[in-house]
Amino acid sequence: MIDRDDVLHVARLARLRLSDAEADRMTGELAKILEHVERIGELDLDGVPPTAHVVAVEHELRPDVPGPCLSREAALAQAPATQDGGFLVPSPQAG
Amino acid sequence: MSDVRYEPVIGLEIHVQLSTRTKMFCACPLSFGEPPNTRTCPVCLGLPGTLPVANAEAIHHGLMIGLALGSQLAARSIFHRKNYFYPDLPKGYQISQYDEPLCSGGRLGEVRIHRVHLEEDAAKLTHVGASGRIHGSDASIVDFNRGGTPLAEIVTEPDLRSPEQASEWLRLLRTTLRRLGVSDVNMEEGSLRCDANISIRPTGSDELGTKTELKNMNSFRFIERGIRAEIARQEQLLRAGEPVVQETLHFDPRTEAITSLRSKEEAHDYRYFPEPDLPPVTITEAMLERARAGLPELPLEREQRLASELGLNAESARLLSWRSELGDYFEAALAAGGGVESQPLANWLGELTTRAGGEDPAATGVEPAQLAALAALVSSGAVTQGAARQVLDRMVAAGGGDPAAIVEAEGLGAVGGADELAPIVRAALEANPDVAEKLRDGDMKPIGVIIGHVMRETRGRADGKEVTAIVRAELGLGG
Amino acid sequence: MTAILDLTAAQAAAAIERGDLDPGELFGIYRERAAADELGAWTWVADAAPVAFDVGAPLRGVPLAVKDLFCTEGVPSQAGSRILEGYRPPYTATCVERLQTAGATLLGKTNQDEFAMGSSNENSGFGPVLNPWDRSRVPGGSSGGSAAAVAAGSAPWALGTDTGGSIRQPAALCGIVGLKPTYGTVSRFGMIAFACSLDQAGPLTRDVTDAALLYRHMAGADARDATAVGHPDEIGLPSAERLDGVRLGVPVELAGGEGIEPGVLAAFERSLALARELGATVEEVSLPTADRALSAYYVIAPAECSSNLARFDGVRYGLRVEADDLLTMYTETRHDGFGDEVKRRILIGTYALSSGYYDAYYGRAQRVRTLIARELAAVFERVDAIVTPTSPGVAFELGSKSADPLAMYLNDFFTVPMSLAGVPAISIPCGLADGLPVGLQVAGAAFSENRLLDIAYALEQGLGFDGSPARGGATP
């Protein structure tokens, strides 16, 4: 059964802040959903392989031929912050 | 306990940027120092809605690496997503391989290969702000030019036992990859990057100690020094009765300091799962055939051939094979003809390499045929070893040249025969009566003085053995 | 003008081809209606008609509504999320590009549940969509804007996407036709992903012929999507009037009646009776694992979405909440940018993939998926198609299920098995219950679209459903 600490742990993994109220509410909702989901635990799945790709297709590999790039202006056009032709972010190690 | 001796156990993880024309999962050309963010497209920027499609040539390069390392090649290869957040990772996951890598097992020389898999490179993060270093700076700038470059990650078994062995073996791997033509393998430019997994254990023990991971060392020198420093750190901990903690470390080559890279908060859980956007890659017989056909002679094969077929001594065979530029130069010189023998030629190549500061001898401008001609002059007795070194000096200084012409112009031809040498020997004995006296009494120790005198007179063009024989004849001593 | 609005898209294209209809006039009429829309169906409407219409191309310039999550160059493409508010991509989705090449004209972008997660369109970051049949009710989701726009006559037809029922369920609740094609027949390149192994684009249209026509020009392999194989057959326009020799299966596990509203069941049974009248045989079939499909789906889809949505990190596009350190920038941006349902699914998915839980959740769900695909494939050896109600109920009132996520998920009970198996399914209106439309789902084997469309067409002709009350009701 998922508890509040589990919810906060996965929220951290998912880089999602939850307020206290959200964490409380989500814990209840997730527990209910997972209870329903856990019905798959009742099935006998011995020897059943997993399906990752439902339509059996061969991967059509891409020939190694260069295509056009975006202009730097286009690449940076939607960025929240830029500097020196790059995307500006808070330093990963600060704080 | 303090007298316990420890043995290091080292495994390497090598990231090799493949020299394809385009990135791993999109058609952007690879970047070679272009201005930031000019080699990107919606796919490698991770824009919403974009999808990866694997580069056929990267798979081909991966297969060639697998063949060269004697790996088991997968019949079908699957990509996974490795999920974590970092600004240099545009999608929030890296497309990599997990439980079904392209190549499994194998061996290169004395080191077993664990696996080889393909993945995409991260972007470049430049730290800016107060100190310009990671810690304490305010901000970073992301350049996605490098993001998505195809990488092969080669993971060894923990078969290495010393820092020197690790860097030596890495040189062999580098040469192998260079021969395959799958990568520029340039550590300084980051196309070859190496992490080391290091643990130590009491010598003779079969158990493995707790390992640490030393990240991203970007030169052979740093690898040796980094591993050495980490081994010392672990020994110190164990001798003090403290445990080694499994963690990721950074080696600073300037200060020799080793620091932990990950913050404590960061418990990694990569949540690997099969990449739904990429169906499995089936490795067809045609793909294997093409990879096999593309395989050149590999360094270890060359070493074998140079030793057994050309009779080079072990040291020369290894040197010329593990450094392909030397081997290629050597074989070109040999092919130039002139009946030169292999081992002396290899020795002369060593002389030339020394004069090239240990770098590529071709950079001196001396052509392989010219070096072969010089070696032939020595072998035939037309030039002495000493004079030939002077000829080589002149060839290097001039950026190449015909050794015979230099010998001619500089008068460096060998001086030989009693007719020519006897008068010079006599003059030497007369100039050194004390020495002549001792020699006459059968004390041969000071003969070097006479030989030195003759060499000075002939500018090194005389043969030492012949001079000795003439000295004995002149003094009436038995041969 | 009313006469023009009464034309289906195929009829409008034919009229343009004959020279009886000016594509500019057609575009103008719809543009005006879309701009005046009061249902919240649109997130962006073209300012003006394009300079020229490609009347030589098969779709003759007929305007097209496109679900917000399809990337369209220079046009807001926000996937219904505040985290992408104002985002204008530098490229266009393959499937939209194909339709434009075939002569379709972009009329506007339609509202949707945020990142296609929802069955009511109440999860949009840009407000809910109202059902044109009854404005106090939801249009279904996640392609609710597309369904409402077509039903209300502010678009002749629309593009949607279906992950677990997101085309079929809103089509059912709005009284129109919705086709979820075989996975892999339409390129996903440029579709902002919810769950990659399930997402599939498809048409929402007034009738089955329009669905066939639009799908014909959407399907096709794409060098930019390794999972897109296209369709092995040319998609024809359906013409069957009878169902002689057609075998229809009703899954006992799905038709148990539990949770199905009586009016829906009645309309479904009338449809079965009609099918028999048209010559079809109707038999019971068994899909023993189908009732666990929803459970497997609510592991697989959230797991994939938790990874797909990691790219919304405030670095390259979209919302950023400024902070001094990276971790806070990430967590605050994603806290503010995502709505509750998206957060829920990210958390479920992250949990299902996390260390120690993968085998019990994601691993098992993928095996259940195998069973369901096998069971469906086996049934399609015996019958030509499976029929079920599309949704257990008719359109529900706004807010009535938003407090109970699980109750909301149960809307997908009938549609999810086909999504997991990747097989095609179409929803057609099959009558009214309490004055609200009921949908009939017809599902077939992979790549059987032509046969499905024929069956759906024959039923459509026989049912004679009149979708006009909705349009009448929504006329400004």
Side-chain angles (χ1 to χ4, degrees):
Chain A
M1 183 64 123
I2 193 166
D3 61 22
R4 199 172 187 278
D5 285 346
D6 293 330
V7 171
L8 291 173
H9 171 67
V10 293
R12 247 191 322 273
L13 280 178
R15 297 294 184 269
L16 202 54
R17 180 176 72 81
L18 295 180
S19 67
D20 284 348
E22 283 170 327
D24 289 339
R25 184 162 49 78
M26 291 279 177
T27 303
E29 289 168 351
L30 263 53
K32 205 171 152 193
I33 294 164
L34 288 170
E35 194 186 326
H36 188 269
V37 154
E38 278 156 13
R39 295 170 65 231
I40 58 174
E42 299 158 8
L43 294 169
D44 178 9
L45 298 173
D46 276 358
V48 180
T51 294
H53 299 93
V54 71
V55 173
V57 288
E58 291 292 310
H59 187 153
E60 190 77 34
L61 297 171
R62 182 174 54 78
D64 190 25
V65 178
C69 293
L70 289 172
S71 70
R72 179 149 82 188
E73 294 65 41
L76 297 176
Q78 308 276 330
T82 60
Q83 185 182 308
D84 303 335
F87 298 86
L88 190 69
V89 292
S91 170
Q93 305 276 321
Chain B
M1 285 298 284
S2 62
D3 57 344
V4 174
R5 293 186 62 83
Y6 290 99
E7 154 186 78
V9 176
I10 304 159
L12 300 180
E13 286 180 24
I14 302 103
H15 287 89
V16 186
Q17 283 186 346
L18 300 179
S19 48
T20 50
R21 296 175 71 198
T22 66
K23 292 186 178 181
M24 185 70 217
F25 296 113
C26 68
C28 281
L30 300 192
S31 174
F32 299 93
E34 283 80 6
N37 294 302
T38 55
R39 286 285 182 274
T40 72
C41 73
V43 177
C44 61
L45 281 177
L47 297 193
T50 55
L51 300 170
V53 183
N55 183 343
E57 198 64 11
I59 306 275
H60 174 64
H61 283 187
L63 292 174
M64 285 182 67
I65 294 172
L67 287 172
L69 300 180
S71 304
Q72 177 97 34
L73 303 180
R76 120 200 146 120
S77 193
I78 291 184
F79 288 100
H80 272 66
R81 289 189 186 177
K82 179 182 183 179
N83 295 283
Y84 65 97
F85 286 84
Y86 213 67
D88 62 7
L89 194 65
K91 300 186 292 297
Y93 54 86
Q94 180 193 33
I95 304 177
S96 182
Q97 298 194 285
Y98 183 54
D99 52 4
E100 297 187 50
L102 189 62
C103 319
S104 307
R107 171 181 288 280
L108 180 68
E110 59 221 337
V111 175
R112 289 170 302 149
I113 302 296
H114 177 59
R115 61 185 276 165
V116 181
H117 73 249
L118 299 177
E119 60 188 30
E120 52 180 345
D121 206 349
K124 192 174 133 207
L125 205 53
T126 307
H127 304 282
V128 292
S131 74
R133 293 184 51 234
I134 295 181
H135 293 277
S137 72
D138 321 307
S140 302
I141 291 173
V142 202
D143 167 15
F144 287 95
N145 283 355
R146 192 185 70 183
T149 299
L151 291 180
E153 179 175 333
I154 301 167
V155 183
T156 76
E157 297 292 350
D159 287 351
L160 294 156
R161 293 290 175 272
S162 76
E164 298 76 18
Q165 191 195 10
S167 78
E168 263 298 279
W169 183 83
L170 192 60
R171 278 177 208 278
L172 171 62
L173 176 70
R174 185 176 67 158
T175 305
T176 303
L177 297 169
R178 181 175 284 154
R179 292 288 288 183
L180 288 172
V182 297
S183 172
D184 297 339
V185 288
N186 186 321
M187 289 196 87
E188 282 68 29
E189 287 169 15
S191 55
L192 179 76
R193 306 196 288 268
C194 184
D195 305 337
N197 289 305
I198 303 161
S199 64
I200 60 171
R201 64 185 176 193
T203 305
S205 164
D206 285 341
E207 282 172 34
L208 290 173
T210 304
K211 69 178 179 187
T212 56
E213 188 182 7
L214 203 53
K215 276 282 185 196
N216 262 329
M217 294 164 287
N218 59 2
S219 84
F220 286 94
R221 224 153 28 94
F222 293 169
I223 283 171
E224 259 186 69
R225 282 167 51 197
I227 293 175
R228 197 172 296 129
E230 174 55 12
I231 291 169
R233 190 189 70 91
Q234 290 190 13
E235 265 201 55
Q236 204 169 22
L237 281 174
L238 292 189
R239 289 194 194 287
E242 287 171 40
V244 172
V245 179
Q246 181 159 354
E247 60 186 333
T248 305
L249 303 169
H250 174 257
F251 172 69
D252 184 335
R254 284 177 302 132
T255 61
E256 302 259 324
I258 287 178
T259 47
S260 185
L261 265 184
R262 302 261 188 256
S263 57
K264 310 158 287 295
E265 182 267 335
E266 188 85 40
H268 272 280
D269 184 347
Y270 291 125
R271 290 160 282 137
Y272 280 99
F273 72 103
E275 165 59 287
D277 289 330
L278 293 171
V281 179
T282 304
I283 307 302
T284 63
E285 191 47 46
M287 290 162 80
L288 290 174
E289 202 41 60
R290 189 184 155 222
R292 280 190 210 105
L295 284 186
E297 183 190 42
L298 298 169
L300 292 179
E301 295 164 358
R302 190 180 217 180
E303 183 178 349
Q304 180 81 26
R305 177 172 61 83
L306 293 184
S308 65
E309 289 180 22
L310 298 181
L312 290 188
N313 65 35
E315 195 189 340
S316 292
R318 184 174 167 122
L319 182 68
L320 296 186
S321 307
W322 290 34
R323 287 187 58 184
S324 11
E325 76 277 17
L326 298 188
D328 292 349
Y329 192 100
F330 171 77
E331 302 216 38
L334 203 61
V340 65
E341 289 168 48
S342 302
Q343 188 61 55
L345 178 63
N347 299 344
W348 280 108
L349 179 56
E351 293 276 347
L352 180 60
T353 307
T354 305
R355 283 162 177 75
E359 301 297 317
D360 187 351
T364 60
V366 175
E367 288 168 19
Q370 295 171 342
L371 187 72
L374 178 66
L377 288 175
V378 179
S379 297
S380 69
V383 179
T384 63
Q385 292 273 351
R389 289 198 181 89
Q390 298 175 49
V391 174
L392 188 58
D393 287 339
R394 284 171 173 73
M395 288 164 74
V396 170
D402 174 13
I406 293 170
V407 168
E408 182 68 33
E410 305 276 331
L412 285 169
V415 177
D419 289 356
E420 266 190 275
L421 283 178
I424 303 170
V425 170
R426 274 197 293 278
L429 291 169
E430 278 163 25
N432 297 283
D434 301 356
V435 173
E437 192 59 37
K438 283 188 181 156
L439 291 175
R440 256 187 217 100
D441 291 347
D443 178 4
M444 296 306 285
K445 269 182 265 167
I447 193 166
V449 177
I450 304 301
I451 294 175
H453 190 108
V454 174
M455 288 298 177
R456 268 196 306 283
E457 290 298 309
T458 62
R459 289 186 297 143
R461 294 176 298 144
D463 180 74
K465 276 189 209 137
E466 195 177 5
V467 173
T468 305
I470 293 171
V471 168
R472 298 183 79 94
E474 285 295 319
L475 297 176
L477 297 165
Chain C
M1 181 173 116
T2 309
I4 291 177
L5 280 178
D6 282 342
L7 298 175
T8 65
Q11 288 164 347
I16 293 169
E17 189 187 7
R18 289 194 306 269
D20 294 346
L21 179 61
D22 173 43
E25 185 191 358
L26 180 71
F27 189 91
I29 289 170
Y30 277 110
R31 205 206 71 78
E32 211 170 287
R33 288 181 64 83
D37 163 67
E38 291 176 347
L39 301 171
W42 298 85
T43 51
W44 177 85
V45 178
D47 286 337
V51 195
F53 292 89
D54 193 358
V55 295
L59 301 181
R60 318 278 169 203
V62 172
L64 174 72
V66 173
K67 189 177 183 178
D68 194 18
L69 62 68
F70 288 91
C71 286
T72 39
E73 188 176 345
V75 167
S77 305
Q78 311 161 118
S81 182
R82 288 283 173 195
I83 211 162
L84 274 181
E85 188 164 5
Y87 175 67
R88 292 169 188 259
Y91 76 101
T92 296
T94 297
C95 132
V96 174
E97 217 172 59
R98 285 180 70 96
L99 290 171
Q100 287 175 326
T101 304
T105 308
L106 180 62
L107 174 61
K109 303 295 285 288
T110 53
N111 203 348
Q112 59 165 99
D113 281 306
E114 184 177 8
F115 291 110
M117 297 175 200
S119 308
S120 69
N121 222 113
E122 292 165 293
N123 298 335
S124 169
F126 305 102
V129 180
L130 312 181
N131 191 317
W133 291 78
D134 177 346
R135 294 186 181 199
S136 68
R137 291 175 189 268
V138 304
S142 66
S143 309
S146 285
V150 173
S154 62
W157 53 6
L159 271 191
T161 61
D162 190 310
T163 305
S166 280
I167 287 175
R168 290 162 285 167
Q169 187 255 13
L173 269 49
C174 289
I176 60 167
V177 172
L179 170 68
K180 181 208 95 76
T182 305
Y183 181 85
T185 59
V186 180
S187 169
R188 292 182 296 113
F189 189 81
M191 269 168 54
I192 299 176
F194 163 18
C196 312
S197 77
L198 297 155
D199 294 344
Q200 190 61 198
L204 291 110
T205 57
R206 283 188 209 162
D207 69 8
V208 175
T209 304
D210 276 4
L213 180 61
L214 200 57
Y215 177 56
R216 171 195 283 181
H217 295 289
M218 295 168 68
D222 183 6
R224 292 179 295 181
D225 176 0
T227 64
V229 292
H231 203 287
D233 311 317
E234 167 87 356
I235 300 303
L237 297 187
S239 58
E241 286 171 6
R242 301 267 316 158
L243 293 175
D244 297 309
V246 171
R247 303 180 68 170
L248 299 178
V250 178
V252 282
E253 293 82 2
L254 296 184
E258 190 190 346
I260 304 180
E261 291 172 10
V264 170
L265 202 55
F268 177 62
E269 278 164 3
R270 282 199 303 275
S271 307
L272 295 182
L274 172 71
R276 287 192 193 92
E277 278 170 35
L278 293 174
T281 58
V282 179
E283 57 194 278
E284 281 193 346
V285 293
S286 178
L287 296 170
T289 313
D291 65 340
R292 310 299 165 97
L294 207 59
S295 299
Y297 175 83
Y298 274 97
V299 173
I300 293 169
E304 291 182 9
C305 102
S306 71
S307 175
N308 289 335
L309 268 50
R311 68 187 62 197
F312 301 101
D313 60 2
V315 175
R316 286 144 297 129
Y317 43 76
L319 178 76
R320 171 192 289 191
V321 176
E322 291 295 347
D324 289 342
D325 71 283
L326 183 70
L327 186 64
T328 308
M329 189 279 274
Y330 279 154
T331 57
E332 292 298 326
T333 296
R334 291 164 63 80
H335 173 271
D336 287 9
F338 291 138
D340 273 357
E341 183 58 29
V342 171
K343 285 177 188 159
R344 247 187 313 267
R345 298 209 197 180
I346 288 175
L347 293 173
I348 294 173
T350 306
Y351 183 69
L353 289 174
S354 65
S355 171
Y357 296 99
Y358 181 95
D359 290 336
Y361 290 101
Y362 194 71
R364 281 194 82 82
Q366 280 195 315
R367 288 170 212 276
V368 174
R369 188 172 189 179
T370 306
L371 285 186
I372 289 166
R374 282 180 184 171
E375 287 171 10
L376 275 164
V379 165
F380 290 133
E381 295 284 311
R382 288 181 42 214
V383 299
D384 297 300
I386 284 172
V387 285
T388 72
T390 306
S391 172
V394 294
F396 45 90
E397 299 209 339
L398 282 155
S400 63
K401 295 189 182 179
S402 33
D404 186 353
L406 190 58
M408 188 72 89
Y409 295 173
L410 292 172
N411 275 295
D412 299 335
F413 184 73
F414 294 117
T415 49
V416 151
M418 292 74 192
S419 298
L420 288 176
V423 300
I426 189 168
S427 177
I428 60 169
C430 67
L432 298 176
D434 304 326
L436 293 167
V438 175
L440 173 73
Q441 176 177 236
V442 188
F447 305 107
S448 70
E449 275 85 353
N450 276 328
R451 187 161 45 179
L452 272 193
L453 287 162
D454 258 340
I455 295 170
Y457 179 80
L459 290 170
E460 177 183 60
Q461 302 308 304
L463 286 161
F465 181 81
D466 179 9
S468 58
R471 289 205 294 285
T475 304

